[in-house]
Amino acid sequence: MFETHYGLTGRPFQLTPDPRFYFESATHRKAMSYLGYGLAQGEGFIIITGEIGAGKSTLVAHLMQTVDKARLTAAQIVTTQLKGDDLLHMVASSFGVATAGLDKTGTLAAIEHFLHTEARAGRRCLLVVDESQNLPMPALEELRMLSNFQLGSHPLLQIFLLGQPEFRAMVHGAPGLEQLRQRIIATHHLGAMEQHELQPYVEHRMTLVGWTGRPAFADDVWARLFAETGGIPRKVNMLINRVLLMAAVDDRDVVDAALVEAVLADLAMDQMSDEDWQNEAMLASAARHAEYAAPVAPAPEAAVPASPAAVPEVSRSDFNHFVREVRAFATEQQEARSLLVQELASALDRVAELESRPVPTADVEPLVKRIEALEKLQAEQQQALHRVLALLVG
């Protein structure tokens, strides 16, 4: 692994949330402000949404490290498609409340008793619900009911709801959630990092595992990373992991945009289907044949390749579109050539049949001319196919 190669003490870009690697980007700083405000209020719901991999779980894990555990009892659950009763049992279990054999009424009573006990001991209770977009409406209603528990005029439970963007739309648009909406005291959408934040983000995580500057990162890396990941932390982690692995394999001391491109090319190949692999192998083999075989006819179109500096830069999407078009054209040329070969073979068989019969020479001459025309067309198709395949490989 690259950690050993570069003398690192740990994995700086692991995909599982780790509050130790929390990085305060602008959007994370704003989210922390909302969470801090919500904790100070001590009641209601706080909703944090964000794209997959935006860092919601890491954000809350970092928050949990900053609170006074002697005054706050926190529990976290990750939801799936739970029914209301199942959710209640999961909430109880996350707080360490035994509910085995209890029905819904008994479970609610056990949770309420636990919350009262914590309140009398001077501790507030916080429930963090991750992946909230998976909760059905009855489960959300059960959470609202839990938020109603009070000791005198003091609420006993505060709830943070973390979810993907569609959860925010669901909460604000569902007509049956009006009572829950009235209990929301803060909401924030966790966006992606800005491009200028990528370098400090990567270097921050590397430094935490003993990075001393090897490997170094070239200035052109950050724009390429941002273009590919959009600034989503988990996507950045996934890509930079592969980049550092390839850098270690190649024993590189500098990571640059060219290395990132090489990794992206490898990732694209990893995602190819078996059929794609077979097509690639066939095209590569045909291209090698085109390169070394003698040309059937002069090819005036072939010119000295331009120098690399003369080739304009294109986006990855434009390049992929170009490759698809060239492959499609190559396939058409292959099919056309196959048809020509079949027609030529049929014509040759017909000539052989006619030559074995006592027929006038005039009957054979049109076929001979047709064969000559087919041979010429086949040569042109072969030449065009060779040029296309060579272009694709280039």
Side-chain angles (χ1 to χ4, degrees):
M1 298 295 289
F2 68 84
E3 295 89 355
T4 303
H5 182 81
Y6 291 117
L8 305 179
T9 59
R11 299 169 56 194
F13 300 105
Q14 61 184 8
L15 301 183
T16 54
D18 187 341
R20 184 166 66 101
F21 291 102
Y22 173 75
F23 175 76
E24 193 172 68
S25 66
T27 186
H28 285 77
R29 187 182 308 114
K30 187 174 181 180
M32 279 296 295
S33 299
Y34 278 100
L35 292 176
Y37 166 78
L39 281 177
Q41 298 299 307
E43 63 179 344
F45 290 86
I46 297 177
I47 296 179
I48 301 293
T49 57
E51 300 292 342
I52 298 174
K56 301 181 293 295
S57 299
T58 303
L59 176 76
V60 172
H62 172 72
L63 176 68
M64 293 300 99
Q65 285 194 332
T66 65
V67 301
D68 184 357
K69 293 180 175 57
R71 302 180 58 187
L72 180 68
T73 300
Q76 184 170 1
I77 60 175
V78 179
T79 68
T80 55
Q81 293 287 346
L82 294 174
K83 296 180 180 179
D85 294 356
D86 295 331
L87 178 64
L88 291 178
H89 284 287
M90 181 174 284
V91 170
S93 176
S94 66
F95 280 117
V97 178
T99 59
L102 298 179
D103 58 9
K104 179 179 179 180
T105 302
T107 300
L108 284 171
I111 294 174
E112 185 175 15
H113 175 73
F114 169 80
L115 296 177
H116 277 275
T117 301
E118 292 295 299
R120 292 190 179 97
R123 291 185 295 270
R124 294 164 48 199
C125 289
L126 171 67
L127 175 65
V128 179
V129 182
D130 206 350
E131 302 295 341
S132 297
Q133 73 279 353
N134 294 326
L135 289 173
M137 298 285 283
L140 285 172
E141 180 61 18
E142 294 296 345
L143 288 177
R144 185 192 67 79
M145 294 297 294
L146 289 178
S147 70
N148 288 338
F149 288 147
Q150 292 183 332
L151 180 60
S153 60
H154 299 286
L156 297 176
L157 180 64
Q158 187 174 27
I159 301 175
F160 286 0
L161 299 176
L162 312 180
Q164 296 174 21
E166 58 266 27
F167 176 66
R168 187 177 185 178
M170 180 180 74
V171 169
H172 288 284
L177 295 178
E178 179 60 32
Q179 294 187 66
L180 186 146
R181 282 193 291 270
Q182 293 178 4
R183 288 168 170 78
I184 297 174
I185 62 173
T187 180
H188 176 67
H189 181 74
L190 194 63
M193 293 183 291
E194 299 292 338
Q195 180 174 327
H196 69 272
E197 294 175 316
L198 281 189
Q199 181 175 358
Y201 170 79
V202 170
E203 293 180 348
H204 165 73
R205 297 183 74 109
M206 292 284 285
T207 302
L208 288 176
V209 293
W211 178 63
T212 57
R214 178 177 178 268
F217 294 91
D219 292 338
D220 61 359
V221 166
W222 313 116
R224 190 65 192 90
L225 278 177
F226 184 79
E228 190 65 28
T229 65
I232 300 296
R234 189 179 299 167
K235 291 183 178 180
V236 175
N237 291 357
M238 293 174 64
L239 181 54
I240 201 68
N241 253 328
R242 291 292 294 263
V243 169
L244 290 174
L245 178 60
M246 181 173 285
V249 170
D250 294 344
D251 195 21
R252 296 191 182 207
D253 289 331
V254 178
V255 174
D256 55 17
L259 182 60
V260 177
E261 290 292 349
V263 170
L264 291 172
D266 277 0
L267 291 173
M269 295 294 282
D270 290 344
Q271 296 171 359
M272 291 173 60
S273 64
D274 292 341
E275 183 179 353
D276 291 333
W277 275 106
Q278 294 173 1
N279 291 338
E280 285 292 324
M282 181 189 69
L283 291 172
S285 175
R288 286 194 297 271
H289 174 75
E291 181 178 357
Y292 294 110
V296 177
E301 295 85 351
V304 178
S307 62
V311 179
E313 294 186 0
V314 296
S315 67
R316 185 171 183 81
S317 60
D318 289 341
F319 171 75
N320 290 337
H321 179 69
F322 165 74
V323 170
R324 287 194 297 270
E325 288 188 339
V326 172
R327 285 178 179 168
F329 182 66
T331 302
E332 292 176 359
Q333 294 291 327
Q334 284 275 37
E335 294 174 351
R337 181 171 176 270
S338 298
L339 292 175
L340 285 173
V341 170
Q342 293 175 7
E343 188 175 352
L344 178 58
S346 177
L348 288 172
D349 291 342
R350 179 62 177 160
V351 168
E353 180 184 352
L354 290 176
E355 286 180 342
S356 64
R357 298 179 183 178
V359 295
T361 306
D363 291 342
V364 179
E365 289 180 355
L367 286 174
V368 172
K369 291 181 179 179
R370 175 61 177 161
I371 290 172
E372 291 175 351
L374 289 173
E375 288 176 339
K376 181 179 179 182
L377 184 57
Q378 180 190 4
E380 293 174 354
Q381 291 280 2
Q382 180 77 359
Q383 181 182 344
L385 179 59
H386 287 175
R387 289 199 302 272
V388 169
L389 292 175
L391 178 62
L392 178 59
V393 172

